[in-house]
Amino acid sequence: MGPTLSALPNGIDVEALKGFAQAVSQDPAQGVVSYRVNSAWKGGTRMEATIPGFTLGGVEIPNRFTLAVDEPAQLLGSNTAPSPSELIMSGLNACMMVGYVANAALRGITLKKLEIETTGSLDLRGFLGLDDSVKPGFEEMQYTVRIAGDGTIRASPFERRVERLVFPHQCDGLFQVAVLDVAFGNRTV
């Protein structure tokens, strides 16, 4: 039996993570992950998303989760579950959080606090087809990261990795970023 979650830095098995990184370094195909979500309409604005599993390194890994999705009453829903937009933001936050936690653990940094707040606005004229100049969906999202730990951040590999996580270049201008309350060791950045 391996170490307990509380005994691992940030709850991450660093040796397993290093082993996985080494395997991907030697065979990049091992680091390719594919996801699939099946959605079914349940009437009105309600739907159910089923996640049957994922593929990692060409291996199918079964995984069964179900998520309910709805809109608030003000948007003609029944408010029985989070909206699609709230789930998008939750997924973004969770993805970034995993990156911060794992990379800090790899560098021996114990995080004391990690919070991400994401906001975004949609102009419903685009969704409703009322104005062709307004695109449906988010024009941009903003997120704020609050992070504290016991390491150093300036001029370190962790700082460079944080920059890559915080400024996701592949998002092509969708996100506006604010990193606040970054504190490591005895100093706040």
Side-chain angles (χ1 to χ4, degrees):
M1 183 174 185
T4 64
L5 190 61
S6 63
L8 299 170
N10 305 326
I12 301 293
D13 184 337
V14 175
E15 292 309 312
L17 181 55
K18 286 179 181 178
F20 179 69
Q22 180 65 31
V24 170
S25 174
Q26 293 172 353
D27 180 5
Q30 295 302 307
V32 176
V33 61
S34 300
Y35 296 97
R36 184 174 71 243
V37 176
N38 302 317
S39 300
W41 176 57
K42 297 297 182 180
T45 63
R46 291 177 293 117
M47 62 147 261
E48 183 177 273
T50 304
I51 303 157
F54 62 99
T55 303
L56 177 61
V59 176
E60 190 74 28
I61 300 168
N63 204 4
R64 187 123 178 114
F65 295 104
T66 303
L67 300 172
V69 183
D70 197 358
E71 290 285 358
Q74 296 82 353
L75 295 176
L76 306 177
S78 52
N79 202 33
T80 61
S83 74
S85 298
E86 292 163 332
L87 290 172
I88 287 170
M89 289 185 205
S90 297
L92 172 67
N93 288 4
C95 190
M96 288 189 294
M97 224 171 246
V98 167
Y100 282 120
V101 169
N103 280 281
L106 273 174
R107 286 151 182 83
I109 298 170
T110 300
L111 295 177
K112 293 178 171 58
K113 175 174 101 172
L114 176 55
E115 299 170 347
I116 302 173
E117 177 184 341
T118 299
T119 61
S121 298
L122 296 92
D123 185 336
L124 293 177
R125 292 177 300 158
F127 167 77
L128 295 170
L130 299 175
D131 185 339
D132 289 340
S133 70
V134 178
K135 75 173 189 172
F138 289 103
E139 279 293 321
E140 68 180 27
M141 290 184 193
Q142 303 83 32
Y143 59 92
T144 301
V145 179
R146 293 176 187 88
I147 186 169
D150 68 356
T152 59
I153 191 169
R154 291 290 177 207
S156 71
F158 183 66
E159 178 184 29
R160 289 188 294 279
R161 183 69 185 140
V162 165
E163 287 175 1
R164 288 185 63 204
L165 289 167
V166 171
F167 303 104
H169 304 289
Q170 72 274 17
C171 294
D172 197 26
L174 179 62
F175 300 103
Q176 298 295 319
V177 182
V179 180
L180 302 177
D181 301 331
V182 178
F184 283 87
N186 293 326
R187 89 184 238 216
T188 299
V189 190

